[in-house]
Structures are given as C-alpha cells and as structure tokens.
Amino acid sequence: MAPRFNIKPIGNQYGKAVPLHDWAAVSCHAMTRSITLGGFAKSGISQIAEGWKMDHRIKIKVNGTDHDLEVPARRMLVDCLRYDLGLTGTKEGCSVGVCGACTVLVDGQMVASCIMLAVTADGADITTVEGLAQEGRLHPVQQAFIDHGGFQCGICTPGQVIAAKALLDVNPDPTEEEIKDWMMGNLCRCTGYYGILESVKNAARVSQEAGR
C-alpha cells in the first residue's frame, strides 16, 4: 500500500522547500552565522522576522478552480483555505499535524494543512471536503458517513472523509485491518471509531458496486 502521508515538501519557485520542523534549525543557523560574523547590525533574528513579513504570490487549483493569491510567507495552508478562499470545511484541531482534522489532498497526497506553508503549495492541485460532491451528489464516502453514523460533533469529519477517500483511491477493497491502519492518524473523540470503520467499509462496497 502507498504511504499514508506525503511528508516531503512540495517544490516551488523558491527551490527546495524547507519542512516546518526544520525552521528551528534554520533559525539557529542564521543566528549563529550572525554572531560568528559579528553581524549585530542586522542579526539572524531580524533577517528571519523580515522574511516572515514578506508576501508571496502563489497559484493553486482548489477543487477544480484556479486561484491567484498573495499570501504572507508565514501563512499556513489551512488558513489560506479557510480565510483567503472561504473554504471552511477544513478544520483546525491540534495545529501541530497530529489529529488529522485539517487533512486535505495536495496533488493526490494527504497533507496536514495546519503545518504546511501555503507558499509550498504553489502550483499544486488541492482537494478539500467541499470538492468531493459532484453535480449535487455526495461522494460515496460522504454518504456512508451519514448512513452509518461516522460522525458526531463533526469537527474531525472533513479530515476523516478526505482520509477515507484517499484510502479508497489507492486501495478500493481494503480489509478491516487496512482501514484501521490507514485511518489511525485521524483522531475522533466522540464516536469510538466503530461508526467510522463501518462507514469506510460500506463506502468501499458501494464504490465497487457502482464501478461494475
């Protein structure tokens, strides 16, 4: 089975993107270089701060629609989707990339949008939960979550649905264990997961029947 998450940064016009967890190392390197070279007039900290203030123009396709945006360097993808584009289906839960509520597809790969910088999505094709329904009809995964009680409060549901859709894209007939393994990164504090498991299993069955 394909890897669940694509944790590699997406390339863009700035060259190789720096993963978010490496920013601390970049910051320390900049500060060390400043001190070593005696560059106190313009310290590493001030250089980083100036970089965060910069706006960048990016082009992204979201749910089939092209967007040309100017975003701050520090803007996370989840904020770009919710506040710049008004696509509030994607939720932010933990803000550190572990709960799965903010999951979206970037070029077909699952991404935690709360820790992905919007500028690194430049040129990407993004799918959010709003983009799953077609011509007024819910995606089989969405319908299954309704029919089989795969949600309760709903905060985690968009991420759960996107993750389930991504699973069925790469494995149309998953076993129960494969579903559990794939969905383990999407946390739910309400349902106890049984409804989610049944929803994914039934979405797989319906999708297979529709494809026959």
Side-chain angles (χ1 to χ4, degrees):
M1 186 182 297
R4 183 176 183 277
F5 276 105
N6 175 20
I7 59 174
K8 296 180 181 178
I10 296 175
N12 57 72
Q13 72 269 34
Y14 309 110
K16 184 178 180 182
V18 180
L20 188 64
H21 58 266
D22 285 346
W23 278 112
V26 174
S27 301
C28 289
H29 172 75
M31 286 187 287
T32 301
R33 184 173 182 275
S34 173
I35 294 172
T36 302
L37 299 178
F40 295 105
K42 193 171 185 180
S43 69
I45 295 177
S46 66
Q47 291 179 45
I48 295 168
E50 287 181 16
W52 276 135
K53 293 177 183 178
M54 293 175 60
D55 288 347
H56 300 284
R57 184 160 294 281
I58 63 172
K59 293 182 179 181
I60 55 177
K61 178 178 287 187
V62 183
N63 302 329
T65 302
D66 292 318
H67 298 276
D68 190 331
L69 304 168
E70 190 168 286
V71 297
R74 65 184 179 278
R75 177 95 61 188
M76 293 300 170
L77 181 58
V78 66
D79 294 324
C80 178
L81 295 171
R82 289 179 57 84
Y83 302 114
D84 295 324
L85 299 182
L87 297 172
T88 57
T90 303
K91 309 303 181 188
E92 184 172 8
C94 66
S95 303
V96 292
V98 299
C99 78
C102 69
T103 303
V104 298
L105 301 181
V106 177
D107 291 330
Q109 299 292 322
M110 292 171 57
V111 166
S113 62
C114 74
I115 58 170
M116 179 177 181
L117 292 168
V119 293
T120 66
D122 185 35
D125 190 345
I126 301 169
T127 301
T128 71
V129 70
E130 289 94 340
L132 298 187
Q134 297 295 323
E135 298 179 352
R137 297 191 62 180
L138 295 177
H139 188 279
V141 173
Q142 293 174 302
Q143 190 62 56
F145 267 69
I146 294 172
D147 295 341
H148 299 277
F151 66 95
Q152 192 164 324
C153 81
I155 293 296
C156 73
T157 305
Q160 300 277 359
V161 169
I162 288 288
K165 192 262 186 193
L167 167 61
L168 300 185
D169 283 347
V170 299
N171 185 2
D173 188 21
T175 65
E176 183 170 312
E177 287 305 312
E178 287 173 332
I179 295 172
K180 290 179 179 178
D181 181 65
W182 185 278
M183 300 295 293
M184 69 185 298
N186 289 80
L187 306 183
C188 176
R189 295 172 176 83
C190 301
T191 66
Y193 299 101
Y194 295 108
I196 294 171
L197 180 59
E198 286 302 310
S199 298
V200 180
K201 288 164 63 176
N202 279 273
R205 176 181 56 78
V206 170
S207 295
Q208 286 184 314
E209 292 176 352
R212 290 173 185 169

